[in-house]
Amino acid sequence: AQKITQTQPGMFVQEKEAVTLDCTYDTSDPSYGLFWYKQPSSGEMIFLIYQGSYDQQNATEGRYSLNFQKARKSANLVISASQLGDSAMYFCAMREANAGGTSYGKLTFGQGTILTVHP
Amino acid sequence: DSGVTQTPKHLITATGQRVTLRCSPRSGDLSVYWYQQSLDQGLQFLIQYYNGEERAKGNILERFSAQQFPDLHSELNLSSLELGDSALYFCASSVGGYGNQPQHFGDGTRLSIL
């Protein structure tokens, strides 16, 4: 089974509108962390936001917020007031605490969602 | 700028050759991670080092090896290169080996095998 599933290969949003990028995950580990990264066309990977499995509140970082629904195992990224510069590939990733002795710091990534912001 | 430096940015070589990718982590970060990004496999974890010691291993081929030096920089060695090794190789670093610390990525080395 896929550990991280991003079901939207591509999304379109109008500038200044909000957009939600979906991410569901699969783990039996009670302790885990969820991360979102942005990859512009230039190729670099930019950290956006983090949510821990024991965090009581949804994470927020500026225009980014994470809609964390633990029971549903979803961690959707919400971008408010979209800007043209938000056009990029977005990756959801998970780190499990007890993934086995060989997976200590490993991030498992989804396949990504390409976001296009229209003017 | 993430503070993670990868060199070279681009590398073009032939099948059967050997290359070395270099990574300097952010100041103060003890953990270094290597990832491979390809069109068919997506982003795959290769290996992690923490303060000079191997800490975690992913789907890293036997032809690939890595190490982290006392000054904390890391090198990824790829040998007997095949066409399928063409990919974007990322190095990332974090303060510790786990926890809620994000991994900060370098700009990557784009490897093209001809």
Side-chain angles (χ1 to χ4, degrees):
Chain A
Q2 292 283 345
K3 290 258 185 186
I4 297 285
T5 303
Q6 295 181 253
T7 57
Q8 306 152 315
M11 287 285 286
F12 296 87
V13 65
Q14 207 70 26
E15 196 178 6
K16 300 180 185 177
E17 298 293 314
V19 62
T20 297
L21 305 184
D22 294 343
C23 173
T24 58
Y25 57 92
D26 181 27
T27 182
S28 57
D29 196 330
S31 178
Y32 52 89
L34 297 156
F35 301 79
W36 277 90
Y37 284 85
K38 172 184 178 182
Q39 186 176 36
S41 57
S42 48
E44 70 269 30
M45 293 284 285
I46 303 166
F47 166 70
L48 297 178
I49 196 166
Y50 165 83
Q51 180 83 44
S53 59
Y54 294 119
D55 292 345
Q56 295 297 311
Q57 293 190 326
N58 287 341
T60 60
E61 287 286 349
R63 294 186 299 111
Y64 304 108
S65 60
L66 208 152
N67 183 2
F68 181 47
Q69 298 186 46
K70 195 170 181 177
R72 297 179 62 183
K73 294 188 175 178
S74 74
N76 299 338
L77 177 70
V78 181
I79 305 175
S80 62
S82 296
Q83 302 172 355
L84 295 178
D86 293 334
S87 294
M89 176 79 91
Y90 289 80
F91 290 98
C92 179
M94 176 173 64
R95 183 163 59 202
E96 298 164 283
N98 298 309
T102 61
S103 305
Y104 184 72
K106 165 187 175 181
L107 283 179
T108 302
F109 285 85
Q111 290 301 305
T113 296
I114 300 176
L115 176 66
T116 304
V117 180
H118 289 302
Chain B
D1 183 5
S2 68
V4 178
T5 303
Q6 287 188 249
T7 57
K9 291 193 182 303
H10 302 278
L11 203 47
I12 302 174
T13 189
T15 55
Q17 296 298 305
R18 172 189 169 95
V19 297
T20 298
L21 313 183
R22 182 188 168 97
C23 170
S24 293
R26 293 191 321 162
S27 177
D29 285 0
L30 298 178
S31 261
V32 168
Y33 312 79
W34 287 96
Y35 291 87
Q36 179 193 57
Q37 185 179 31
S38 61
L39 283 174
D40 53 345
Q41 298 287 331
L43 267 160
Q44 298 282 321
F45 168 75
L46 294 178
I47 197 163
Q48 175 196 1
Y49 281 83
Y50 177 78
N51 205 19
E53 294 188 1
E54 182 183 305
R55 185 58 68 95
K57 212 165 185 176
N59 298 324
I60 187 167
L61 300 171
E62 284 191 13
R63 300 184 285 108
F64 296 1
S65 64
Q67 59 184 130
Q68 186 179 28
F69 294 86
D71 67 352
L72 301 179
H73 92 271
S74 178
E75 292 180 357
L76 178 67
N77 299 296
L78 316 176
S79 61
S80 302
L81 287 167
E82 302 174 0
L83 293 176
D85 297 328
S86 294
L88 184 55
Y89 291 84
F90 283 109
C91 169
S93 72
S94 66
V95 173
Y98 184 68
N100 63 354
Q101 308 127 10
Q103 295 176 20
H104 295 275
F105 283 68
D107 289 347
T109 293
R110 188 167 296 279
L111 176 64
S112 299
I113 312 298
L114 302 180

Short mmCIF file of all heavy atoms in Angstrom, two decimals, chain A residues 28-75:
data_model
loop_
_atom_site.label_atom_id
_atom_site.label_comp_id
_atom_site.label_asym_id
_atom_site.label_seq_id
_atom_site.Cartn_x
_atom_site.Cartn_y
_atom_site.Cartn_z
N SER A 28 0.78 2.66 10.85
CA SER A 28 0.28 2.08 12.10
C SER A 28 1.07 2.62 13.29
O SER A 28 0.82 2.25 14.44
CB SER A 28 0.39 0.55 12.05
OG SER A 28 1.72 0.17 11.79
N ASP A 29 2.01 3.49 13.00
CA ASP A 29 2.84 4.08 14.03
C ASP A 29 2.08 5.23 14.70
O ASP A 29 1.56 6.10 14.01
CB ASP A 29 4.12 4.63 13.38
CG ASP A 29 5.21 4.92 14.36
OD1 ASP A 29 4.90 5.26 15.53
OD2 ASP A 29 6.38 4.81 13.97
N PRO A 30 1.97 5.24 16.03
CA PRO A 30 1.24 6.34 16.68
C PRO A 30 2.01 7.66 16.64
O PRO A 30 1.41 8.73 16.81
CB PRO A 30 1.07 5.85 18.12
CG PRO A 30 2.20 4.90 18.32
CD PRO A 30 2.43 4.23 16.99
N SER A 31 3.30 7.60 16.44
CA SER A 31 4.12 8.80 16.42
C SER A 31 4.70 9.01 15.03
O SER A 31 5.46 8.18 14.54
CB SER A 31 5.25 8.69 17.45
OG SER A 31 6.08 9.82 17.41
N TYR A 32 4.33 10.11 14.41
CA TYR A 32 4.81 10.38 13.05
C TYR A 32 4.73 11.88 12.79
O TYR A 32 4.10 12.63 13.55
CB TYR A 32 4.00 9.61 11.99
CG TYR A 32 2.51 9.81 12.10
CD1 TYR A 32 1.87 10.85 11.42
CD2 TYR A 32 1.73 8.95 12.87
CE1 TYR A 32 0.51 11.03 11.52
CE2 TYR A 32 0.36 9.13 12.97
CZ TYR A 32 -0.25 10.16 12.30
OH TYR A 32 -1.60 10.34 12.40
N GLY A 33 5.39 12.31 11.75
CA GLY A 33 5.35 13.71 11.36
C GLY A 33 5.00 13.83 9.90
O GLY A 33 5.37 12.98 9.09
N LEU A 34 4.30 14.88 9.58
CA LEU A 34 3.89 15.12 8.19
C LEU A 34 4.46 16.45 7.73
O LEU A 34 4.42 17.44 8.46
CB LEU A 34 2.36 15.12 8.10
CG LEU A 34 1.74 13.77 8.46
CD1 LEU A 34 0.30 13.94 8.91
CD2 LEU A 34 1.83 12.82 7.30
N PHE A 35 4.99 16.47 6.54
CA PHE A 35 5.66 17.64 5.99
C PHE A 35 5.10 17.95 4.61
O PHE A 35 4.72 17.04 3.86
CB PHE A 35 7.17 17.38 5.84
CG PHE A 35 7.87 17.02 7.12
CD1 PHE A 35 7.80 15.74 7.64
CD2 PHE A 35 8.64 17.96 7.78
CE1 PHE A 35 8.45 15.40 8.82
CE2 PHE A 35 9.30 17.64 8.96
CZ PHE A 35 9.20 16.36 9.47
N TRP A 36 5.11 19.22 4.27
CA TRP A 36 4.82 19.64 2.90
C TRP A 36 6.03 20.40 2.36
O TRP A 36 6.60 21.26 3.05
CB TRP A 36 3.59 20.53 2.84
CG TRP A 36 2.29 19.76 2.81
CD1 TRP A 36 1.54 19.38 3.89
CD2 TRP A 36 1.60 19.30 1.65
NE1 TRP A 36 0.43 18.71 3.47
CE2 TRP A 36 0.43 18.64 2.10
CE3 TRP A 36 1.84 19.38 0.27
CZ2 TRP A 36 -0.49 18.08 1.23
CZ3 TRP A 36 0.93 18.82 -0.59
CH2 TRP A 36 -0.22 18.17 -0.12
N TYR A 37 6.37 20.07 1.10
CA TYR A 37 7.46 20.73 0.42
C TYR A 37 6.95 21.27 -0.92
O TYR A 37 6.06 20.69 -1.54
CB TYR A 37 8.62 19.76 0.15
CG TYR A 37 9.46 19.45 1.36
CD1 TYR A 37 9.09 18.45 2.25
CD2 TYR A 37 10.63 20.16 1.62
CE1 TYR A 37 9.86 18.16 3.37
CE2 TYR A 37 11.41 19.88 2.74
CZ TYR A 37 11.01 18.88 3.60
OH TYR A 37 11.78 18.61 4.71
N LYS A 38 7.57 22.34 -1.37
CA LYS A 38 7.27 22.96 -2.66
C LYS A 38 8.48 22.81 -3.56
O LYS A 38 9.62 23.06 -3.13
CB LYS A 38 6.96 24.45 -2.44
CG LYS A 38 6.82 25.29 -3.69
CD LYS A 38 6.62 26.76 -3.31
CE LYS A 38 6.52 27.64 -4.53
NZ LYS A 38 6.37 29.08 -4.15
N GLN A 39 8.24 22.40 -4.80
CA GLN A 39 9.33 22.29 -5.77
C GLN A 39 8.99 23.13 -7.00
O GLN A 39 8.22 22.70 -7.86
CB GLN A 39 9.59 20.83 -6.16
CG GLN A 39 10.81 20.67 -7.06
CD GLN A 39 11.14 19.23 -7.37
OE1 GLN A 39 10.27 18.39 -7.53
NE2 GLN A 39 12.43 18.92 -7.44
N PRO A 40 9.54 24.33 -7.11
CA PRO A 40 9.31 25.15 -8.30
C PRO A 40 9.96 24.50 -9.52
O PRO A 40 10.72 23.53 -9.40
CB PRO A 40 9.99 26.48 -7.96
CG PRO A 40 10.29 26.43 -6.50
CD PRO A 40 10.39 24.99 -6.13
N SER A 41 9.71 25.08 -10.68
CA SER A 41 10.27 24.52 -11.90
C SER A 41 11.79 24.56 -11.91
O SER A 41 12.43 23.78 -12.64
CB SER A 41 9.72 25.27 -13.12
OG SER A 41 10.01 26.64 -13.01
N SER A 42 12.38 25.41 -11.11
CA SER A 42 13.84 25.48 -11.02
C SER A 42 14.43 24.27 -10.30
O SER A 42 15.64 24.04 -10.37
CB SER A 42 14.26 26.77 -10.33
OG SER A 42 13.52 26.95 -9.14
N GLY A 43 13.60 23.51 -9.60
CA GLY A 43 14.04 22.22 -9.08
C GLY A 43 14.31 22.10 -7.61
O GLY A 43 14.32 20.99 -7.08
N GLU A 44 14.54 23.22 -6.92
CA GLU A 44 14.87 23.09 -5.50
C GLU A 44 13.66 22.66 -4.68
O GLU A 44 12.52 22.85 -5.09
CB GLU A 44 15.46 24.40 -4.94
CG GLU A 44 14.47 25.55 -4.82
CD GLU A 44 14.40 26.40 -6.06
OE1 GLU A 44 14.63 25.87 -7.16
OE2 GLU A 44 14.08 27.60 -5.92
N MET A 45 13.90 22.08 -3.53
CA MET A 45 12.84 21.63 -2.61
C MET A 45 12.78 22.58 -1.44
O MET A 45 13.77 22.75 -0.72
CB MET A 45 13.13 20.22 -2.10
CG MET A 45 13.07 19.15 -3.16
SD MET A 45 11.38 18.75 -3.58
CE MET A 45 10.90 17.81 -2.14
N ILE A 46 11.61 23.17 -1.21
CA ILE A 46 11.45 24.18 -0.18
C ILE A 46 10.49 23.68 0.89
O ILE A 46 9.35 23.33 0.58
CB ILE A 46 10.91 25.50 -0.79
CG1 ILE A 46 11.83 25.99 -1.90
CG2 ILE A 46 10.73 26.57 0.29
CD1 ILE A 46 11.23 27.07 -2.78
N PHE A 47 10.94 23.63 2.14
CA PHE A 47 10.09 23.21 3.24
C PHE A 47 9.02 24.25 3.51
O PHE A 47 9.31 25.46 3.57
CB PHE A 47 10.93 22.99 4.50
CG PHE A 47 10.11 22.89 5.76
CD1 PHE A 47 9.32 21.78 5.99
CD2 PHE A 47 10.11 23.91 6.70
CE1 PHE A 47 8.56 21.69 7.15
CE2 PHE A 47 9.36 23.83 7.86
CZ PHE A 47 8.57 22.72 8.07
N LEU A 48 7.76 23.81 3.67
CA LEU A 48 6.65 24.73 3.90
C LEU A 48 6.10 24.65 5.31
O LEU A 48 5.94 25.66 5.99
CB LEU A 48 5.52 24.45 2.91
CG LEU A 48 5.80 24.66 1.43
CD1 LEU A 48 4.58 24.27 0.61
CD2 LEU A 48 6.22 26.09 1.16
N ILE A 49 5.75 23.42 5.76
CA ILE A 49 4.99 23.30 7.00
C ILE A 49 5.11 21.89 7.54
O ILE A 49 5.34 20.94 6.78
CB ILE A 49 3.51 23.68 6.73
CG1 ILE A 49 2.76 23.96 8.03
CG2 ILE A 49 2.81 22.64 5.88
CD1 ILE A 49 1.41 24.64 7.79
N TYR A 50 4.99 21.79 8.88
CA TYR A 50 5.12 20.50 9.57
C TYR A 50 3.93 20.31 10.53
O TYR A 50 3.47 21.28 11.16
CB TYR A 50 6.41 20.47 10.37
CG TYR A 50 6.46 19.35 11.39
CD1 TYR A 50 6.85 18.07 11.00
CD2 TYR A 50 6.09 19.57 12.72
CE1 TYR A 50 6.88 17.04 11.92
CE2 TYR A 50 6.12 18.53 13.65
CZ TYR A 50 6.52 17.28 13.23
OH TYR A 50 6.54 16.24 14.14
N GLN A 51 3.47 19.06 10.63
CA GLN A 51 2.43 18.68 11.58
C GLN A 51 2.84 17.40 12.28
O GLN A 51 3.13 16.40 11.62
CB GLN A 51 1.10 18.45 10.86
CG GLN A 51 -0.06 18.07 11.75
CD GLN A 51 -0.73 19.27 12.40
OE1 GLN A 51 -0.98 20.28 11.76
NE2 GLN A 51 -1.06 19.16 13.69
N GLY A 52 2.89 17.41 13.59
CA GLY A 52 3.19 16.21 14.34
C GLY A 52 1.92 15.46 14.69
O GLY A 52 0.85 16.07 14.87
N SER A 53 2.02 14.16 14.83
CA SER A 53 0.83 13.34 15.07
C SER A 53 0.18 13.65 16.41
O SER A 53 -1.01 13.42 16.59
CB SER A 53 1.17 11.85 14.97
OG SER A 53 2.16 11.50 15.92
N TYR A 54 0.94 14.18 17.35
CA TYR A 54 0.39 14.49 18.66
C TYR A 54 0.03 15.96 18.82
O TYR A 54 -0.44 16.38 19.87
CB TYR A 54 1.39 14.10 19.75
CG TYR A 54 1.62 12.60 19.85
CD1 TYR A 54 2.88 12.05 19.64
CD2 TYR A 54 0.58 11.73 20.14
CE1 TYR A 54 3.09 10.69 19.73
CE2 TYR A 54 0.78 10.37 20.23
CZ TYR A 54 2.03 9.85 20.03
OH TYR A 54 2.23 8.50 20.11
N ASP A 55 0.24 16.73 17.77
CA ASP A 55 -0.10 18.16 17.85
C ASP A 55 -1.61 18.31 17.93
O ASP A 55 -2.35 17.72 17.14
CB ASP A 55 0.44 18.91 16.63
CG ASP A 55 1.94 18.97 16.61
OD1 ASP A 55 2.56 18.70 17.66
OD2 ASP A 55 2.52 19.27 15.55
N GLN A 56 -2.06 19.13 18.87
CA GLN A 56 -3.49 19.32 19.08
C GLN A 56 -4.10 20.28 18.08
O GLN A 56 -5.29 20.20 17.75
CB GLN A 56 -3.76 19.82 20.50
CG GLN A 56 -3.39 18.81 21.58
CD GLN A 56 -4.23 17.55 21.49
OE1 GLN A 56 -5.45 17.59 21.39
NE2 GLN A 56 -3.56 16.40 21.48
N GLN A 57 -3.28 21.21 17.62
CA GLN A 57 -3.80 22.23 16.70
C GLN A 57 -3.22 22.04 15.31
O GLN A 57 -2.09 21.54 15.15
CB GLN A 57 -3.46 23.62 17.23
CG GLN A 57 -4.19 23.97 18.53
CD GLN A 57 -4.03 25.43 18.88
OE1 GLN A 57 -2.98 26.02 18.61
NE2 GLN A 57 -5.05 26.01 19.47
N ASN A 58 -3.97 22.48 14.32
CA ASN A 58 -3.47 22.46 12.95
C ASN A 58 -2.33 23.45 12.80
O ASN A 58 -2.38 24.56 13.31
CB ASN A 58 -4.59 22.82 11.97
CG ASN A 58 -5.60 21.70 11.83
OD1 ASN A 58 -5.33 20.55 12.16
ND2 ASN A 58 -6.78 22.04 11.34
N ALA A 59 -1.30 23.03 12.07
CA ALA A 59 -0.14 23.89 11.86
C ALA A 59 -0.47 25.02 10.88
O ALA A 59 -1.27 24.84 9.95
CB ALA A 59 1.02 23.08 11.32
N THR A 60 0.12 26.18 11.12
CA THR A 60 -0.01 27.29 10.19
C THR A 60 1.35 27.96 10.04
O THR A 60 2.13 28.06 11.00
CB THR A 60 -1.03 28.35 10.67
OG1 THR A 60 -0.58 28.85 11.93
CG2 THR A 60 -2.42 27.76 10.81
N GLU A 61 1.63 28.42 8.80
CA GLU A 61 2.86 29.16 8.51
C GLU A 61 2.52 30.19 7.44
O GLU A 61 2.49 29.89 6.26
CB GLU A 61 3.97 28.23 7.98
CG GLU A 61 4.60 27.32 8.98
CD GLU A 61 5.55 28.02 9.94
OE1 GLU A 61 5.88 29.21 9.70
OE2 GLU A 61 5.95 27.39 10.93
N GLY A 62 2.23 31.39 7.87
CA GLY A 62 1.88 32.43 6.90
C GLY A 62 0.62 32.06 6.14
O GLY A 62 -0.43 31.82 6.72
N ARG A 63 0.75 32.00 4.81
CA ARG A 63 -0.42 31.67 3.97
C ARG A 63 -0.68 30.17 3.90
O ARG A 63 -1.66 29.75 3.26
CB ARG A 63 -0.22 32.23 2.56
CG ARG A 63 -0.18 33.75 2.48
CD ARG A 63 -0.13 34.24 1.02
NE ARG A 63 1.07 33.77 0.32
CZ ARG A 63 1.03 32.87 -0.66
NH1 ARG A 63 -0.11 32.34 -1.05
NH2 ARG A 63 2.15 32.51 -1.25
N TYR A 64 0.17 29.39 4.53
CA TYR A 64 0.02 27.93 4.49
C TYR A 64 -0.60 27.45 5.79
O TYR A 64 -0.20 27.86 6.87
CB TYR A 64 1.36 27.24 4.29
CG TYR A 64 2.13 27.69 3.07
CD1 TYR A 64 3.26 28.47 3.18
CD2 TYR A 64 1.71 27.32 1.80
CE1 TYR A 64 3.97 28.88 2.06
CE2 TYR A 64 2.41 27.72 0.68
CZ TYR A 64 3.54 28.50 0.81
OH TYR A 64 4.23 28.91 -0.30
N SER A 65 -1.55 26.56 5.67
CA SER A 65 -2.09 25.89 6.84
C SER A 65 -2.32 24.43 6.49
O SER A 65 -2.45 24.06 5.32
CB SER A 65 -3.39 26.55 7.33
OG SER A 65 -4.37 26.50 6.32
N LEU A 66 -2.34 23.62 7.53
CA LEU A 66 -2.50 22.20 7.32
C LEU A 66 -3.79 21.76 7.97
O LEU A 66 -3.99 21.96 9.17
CB LEU A 66 -1.28 21.45 7.94
CG LEU A 66 -0.91 20.12 7.31
CD1 LEU A 66 0.56 19.84 7.47
CD2 LEU A 66 -1.74 19.02 7.94
N ASN A 67 -4.67 21.18 7.20
CA ASN A 67 -5.93 20.65 7.70
C ASN A 67 -5.69 19.19 8.07
O ASN A 67 -5.76 18.29 7.23
CB ASN A 67 -7.02 20.79 6.63
CG ASN A 67 -8.37 20.33 7.14
OD1 ASN A 67 -8.52 19.93 8.29
ND2 ASN A 67 -9.37 20.38 6.28
N PHE A 68 -5.40 18.96 9.35
CA PHE A 68 -5.00 17.65 9.84
C PHE A 68 -6.21 16.93 10.43
O PHE A 68 -6.80 17.41 11.41
CB PHE A 68 -3.91 17.81 10.90
CG PHE A 68 -3.38 16.53 11.48
CD1 PHE A 68 -3.02 15.48 10.67
CD2 PHE A 68 -3.22 16.40 12.86
CE1 PHE A 68 -2.52 14.30 11.21
CE2 PHE A 68 -2.72 15.23 13.41
CZ PHE A 68 -2.37 14.18 12.58
N GLN A 69 -6.59 15.82 9.80
CA GLN A 69 -7.70 15.01 10.30
C GLN A 69 -7.13 13.63 10.59
O GLN A 69 -7.05 12.77 9.69
CB GLN A 69 -8.84 14.97 9.29
CG GLN A 69 -9.43 16.36 9.04
CD GLN A 69 -10.66 16.31 8.15
OE1 GLN A 69 -11.54 15.47 8.35
NE2 GLN A 69 -10.71 17.18 7.17
N LYS A 70 -6.78 13.43 11.85
CA LYS A 70 -6.03 12.24 12.23
C LYS A 70 -6.83 10.97 12.00
O LYS A 70 -6.29 9.97 11.52
CB LYS A 70 -5.62 12.36 13.70
CG LYS A 70 -4.57 11.39 14.16
CD LYS A 70 -4.09 11.78 15.54
CE LYS A 70 -3.00 10.84 16.02
NZ LYS A 70 -2.48 11.25 17.35
N ALA A 71 -8.10 10.97 12.36
CA ALA A 71 -8.92 9.77 12.22
C ALA A 71 -9.06 9.36 10.76
O ALA A 71 -9.15 8.17 10.44
CB ALA A 71 -10.28 9.99 12.84
N ARG A 72 -9.06 10.33 9.90
CA ARG A 72 -9.18 10.06 8.47
C ARG A 72 -7.83 9.89 7.81
O ARG A 72 -7.73 9.62 6.61
CB ARG A 72 -9.94 11.19 7.77
CG ARG A 72 -11.37 11.36 8.25
CD ARG A 72 -12.05 12.49 7.54
NE ARG A 72 -12.16 12.27 6.10
CZ ARG A 72 -12.67 13.13 5.24
NH1 ARG A 72 -13.12 14.30 5.68
NH2 ARG A 72 -12.73 12.86 3.96
N LYS A 73 -6.75 10.09 8.58
CA LYS A 73 -5.39 10.01 8.07
C LYS A 73 -5.22 10.91 6.85
O LYS A 73 -4.76 10.47 5.78
CB LYS A 73 -5.01 8.56 7.76
CG LYS A 73 -4.93 7.70 9.01
CD LYS A 73 -4.37 6.32 8.73
CE LYS A 73 -4.21 5.54 10.04
NZ LYS A 73 -3.69 4.17 9.82
N SER A 74 -5.61 12.15 7.04
CA SER A 74 -5.40 13.11 5.96
C SER A 74 -4.70 14.35 6.51
O SER A 74 -4.88 14.73 7.67
CB SER A 74 -6.71 13.48 5.29
OG SER A 74 -7.48 14.34 6.10
N ALA A 75 -3.91 14.97 5.66
CA ALA A 75 -3.13 16.15 6.03
C ALA A 75 -3.08 17.07 4.83
O ALA A 75 -2.07 17.18 4.14
CB ALA A 75 -1.72 15.74 6.46
#
